[in-house]
Amino acid sequence: MDDDATTSAPDYGTLRLDGRVALVTGAGSADGIGYATARRLVDLGARVAIVSTTRRIHERASELGATGFVADLTDESEVGALADAIAEQLGDVEVLVNNAGLASRTSPEVLRPVAQLTFDEWRAEIDRNLTTAFLCSRAFIGGMAERGWGRIVNLAATAGPINALPTEAAYAAAKAGVVGLTRALAMEMVADGVTVNAVAPGTIYTAASTVAELKQGLGTPIGRPGTPDEVAAAITFLCSPAASYITGQMLVVDGGNSVREAQFR
């Protein structure tokens, strides 16, 4: 290989995203994974759009130096309108983080045995955790493919792809579906320079955490729940040029909890 070929090669080792337009969904909470991810992307030089279902997103955007949008990402027409608005204000989205869908205090996870789960409850969990990722990905992959570069990171969970608890069948099914979507889309987009990966958090300490969830975090091998910023670090790495040879993968961020065979005292 000659010197010219070496010096002209892209810098795949960089984490920088200078000038890239990034969209992070579900970033309305200042204590959440979406907000922490958006902050890191801004620090890496990206022009960041954030979206949630309420107008508080504009406060978060002001804090971050990002641009906020309000949209219901389970609605196909609203996702289309969002894509148009971002393109007009910021440019074409090159980095997409599908974080929308995680439970919050205002929109708690449905916890009910399958025998008691209504169809509307089932569909709501599937829509907010899986349909949102499908609709947003579909809205932006065409542009990414045309430009020959893109990054999509979907938020899965350990619940579903790795384990599950009683009463969370709908959530677990949706998150397992996120991993299936990730892998299939990765294979569809690989020839176009677009990588698609998933991050699967375990117990993470956010404003929406319950006492029971925090106790679960204390029982991990590391001995504490994770933080939104620790999950965001994994997400933003997969968004970077440095992750160019990683696609179709699920990165687990759970303090080693899914590795341990049994808990010994």
Side-chain angles (χ1 to χ4, degrees), residues 47-124:
R47 302 171 64 198
V48 178
I50 56 176
V51 60
S52 76
T53 57
T54 65
R55 294 189 61 80
R56 69 174 179 170
I57 197 67
H58 297 303
E59 297 177 24
R60 304 288 85 83
S62 178
E63 295 161 3
L64 290 166
T67 304
F69 297 87
V70 178
D72 177 358
L73 300 182
T74 66
D75 185 309
E76 184 177 15
S77 63
E78 290 201 29
V79 173
L82 171 68
D84 291 341
I86 295 173
E88 181 178 341
Q89 295 188 41
L90 295 176
D92 296 320
V93 169
E94 299 165 280
V95 175
L96 171 62
V97 178
N98 283 311
N99 174 70
L102 296 178
S104 67
R105 286 176 177 173
T106 57
S107 182
E109 180 185 349
V110 176
L111 297 174
R112 206 184 308 281
V114 170
Q116 300 171 18
L117 193 66
T118 70
F119 180 61
D120 285 344
E121 289 170 337
W122 167 268
R123 189 160 58 182

Side-chain angles (χ1 to χ4, degrees), residues 27-46:
S29 171
D31 300 311
I33 292 169
Y35 186 89
T37 300
R39 182 175 59 232
R40 280 181 170 265
L41 290 172
V42 168
D43 290 344
L44 290 173

